[in-house]
Amino acid sequence: MARRIAAGAAYGGGSIGLLGAAAVGVVLAEVQLAKRSVGGGVAPVPPSADGRYGVALAGLAPPLRLGLLGDSTAAGQGVRRAGQTPGALLASGLAAVAERPVELRNVALPGAQSDDLERQVGQLLSDPVRTPDVCVIMIGANDVTHRMPATQSVRYLAAAVRRLRTAGAEVVVGTCPDLGTIEPVYQPLRWLARRVSRQLAAAQTIGVVEQGGRTVSLGDLLGPEFAANPREMFAVDNYHPSAEGYATAAMAVLPTLCAALGLWPESDRLDASRDEDILPVAKAAAEAASAAGTEVSGARAPWALLKHRRRRRIPPVPAAETAAPRPV
C-alpha cells in the first residue's frame, strides 16, 4: 500500500482509499466521540525558540543553521517554555555534538498540513545568506485527521524535500506519528487511526528517501510512555505531547540529524546485532513504520539503509540560550 501511495504521488495518481466504505459510518461515529474528549483543555501558543544555541562555543567555528518545518508538533505546541520545544532541544543537542553554535529558525505552523510546506520552504529559503545546513520536518498527523489524500500528502512532502536538497540542505523527516496512541480515541477508530498513520508514514519514507532525505519513524515511539503515564506525556489538551513527550521524540531524531551532517560517531555501516540491514526501499519503509525510532536513508537505488542508532539524552537547554520571541 505504501508503495502504491508513493507511486501515485510520483506519477500524479489520484487518491488511494485507505478505509473501506463499509467502515465509514462506524468511523464517523467514533470520531464524534473522540472529539468530545480530545482537546478538552487548550494547548498554549507555541513559544518562540528561534535564536542561537551553544553560545559558549562561539568563535570556535561558524554556526550551523538548523531549520524546522511542519505542524504543531514541530512548533512545540503544548509546552510553555521555549527550551521545552523540539527545535530548542535539537538545536542544543546538535550544538553539543558539533561543538559549535547552532542558529535555529522554526517556520512550523500549528494546524498545518503537507500542502503548507511549499510556503514554509519558501520562507526558509527567502534569504540566500541564511540557507539552512540541515532541516527537520515533522508533518502528517493533520493530513490524516483532515482526510487529505495520501498521494497528495506524499507529493507535497517530496517536493519540499527536493527544494531543500537542491538548495544544499540536508533533510531529516519525522514521519507521521501513530494517532492510535491518543488516549481518548476508542476502538475501532484507534485501530484504523494506527493503520492509516503507519501507511502514510511508510509512504512518506519512500518519497523522502527518493529525494535524498532521511527519515525517522515516530510511530508509536511514545506509546509505552503514554500508556504508563498519560498525564505526564500529554499536554493539557490530551492531544499534543508534553515537555517529556517532546524530549523523547527529540532523542530519537537527534542521532539522525547529526549523522546527516557527518557528526555522529556511528557510521552508516550496519550492525547486524541490532537488526540493521540494506533492504528495498519499500520494505525498509514498511519495517520502519512498525518500529518507532528507526532511521531509513538512501543507499544505491532501489535499496535503503535501515538503522537503529543509539540515543543519547539531550542536555537541558540553558535559560540563557532561550531566544527572544521572533517578530510576527
Side-chain angles (χ1 to χ4, degrees):
M1 176 63 76
R3 187 166 47 237
R4 290 174 59 203
I5 294 170
Y11 299 110
S15 171
I16 298 176
L18 298 180
L19 302 177
V24 172
V26 177
V27 172
L28 291 179
E30 290 290 341
V31 167
Q32 295 307 313
L33 289 174
K35 282 182 177 179
R36 296 174 188 173
S37 300
V38 176
V42 178
V45 174
S48 172
D50 282 12
R52 182 169 292 193
Y53 295 78
V55 291
L57 303 168
L60 300 180
L64 287 168
R65 290 182 292 272
L66 169 64
L68 231 71
L69 309 89
D71 53 23
S72 55
T73 302
Q77 188 162 21
V79 296
R80 298 185 182 279
R81 300 208 320 257
Q84 298 172 328
T85 62
L89 293 168
L90 290 172
S92 181
L94 180 58
V97 174
E99 297 184 343
R100 57 191 289 192
V102 173
E103 287 187 355
L104 171 66
R105 189 178 180 202
N106 193 333
V107 296
L109 179 68
Q113 300 175 51
S114 292
D115 57 359
D116 191 55
L117 288 176
E118 181 179 5
R119 180 194 64 81
Q120 294 182 27
V121 171
Q123 190 174 347
L124 266 186
L125 301 181
S126 60
D127 183 357
V129 178
R130 300 177 63 195
T131 300
D133 297 296
V134 63
C135 292
V136 174
I137 303 175
M138 296 180 179
I139 200 80
N142 293 321
D143 295 1
V144 173
T145 59
H146 290 77
R147 293 183 290 178
M148 174 182 285
T151 50
Q152 290 184 19
S153 176
V154 174
R155 189 179 302 129
Y156 288 127
L157 176 58
V161 174
R162 183 167 57 249
R163 285 184 65 191
L164 291 169
R165 293 290 292 134
T166 300
E170 298 291 339
V171 180
V172 176
V173 175
T175 55
C176 182
D178 182 355
L179 298 181
T181 61
I182 299 174
E183 186 189 34
V185 177
Y186 306 105
Q187 298 290 9
L189 181 58
R190 181 186 295 272
W191 178 85
L192 293 170
R194 172 168 287 116
R195 181 177 176 222
V196 174
S197 301
R198 288 185 175 182
Q199 287 178 344
L200 178 57
Q204 287 177 320
T205 295
I206 296 172
V208 169
V209 170
E210 288 179 344
Q211 299 302 325
R214 301 182 185 223
T215 63
V216 178
S217 57
L218 300 182
D220 60 352
L221 178 69
L222 306 180
E225 288 87 350
F226 280 141
N229 215 350
R231 291 294 171 255
E232 288 189 9
M233 298 303 289
F234 276 120
V236 294
D237 62 353
N238 291 334
Y239 184 81
H240 294 95
S242 65
E244 291 80 3
Y246 281 130
T248 302
M251 284 173 61
V253 174
L254 179 63
T256 300
L257 175 64
C258 295
L261 293 169
L263 300 172
W264 203 243
E266 297 176 41
S267 69
D268 283 337
R269 288 178 296 182
L270 301 177
D271 185 345
S273 67
R274 292 193 288 169
D275 296 324
E276 298 181 345
D277 204 351
I278 297 179
L279 300 170
V281 63
K283 183 173 178 58
E287 292 204 11
S290 62
T294 304
E295 173 190 318
V296 179
S297 59
R300 183 174 299 176
W303 305 90
L305 292 173
L306 188 77
K307 290 192 65 67
H308 304 284
R309 296 189 185 274
R310 292 186 177 88
R311 303 175 198 167
R312 297 182 180 177
R313 182 165 297 279
I314 296 178
V317 179
E321 290 192 352
T322 302
R326 56 190 166 189
V328 177

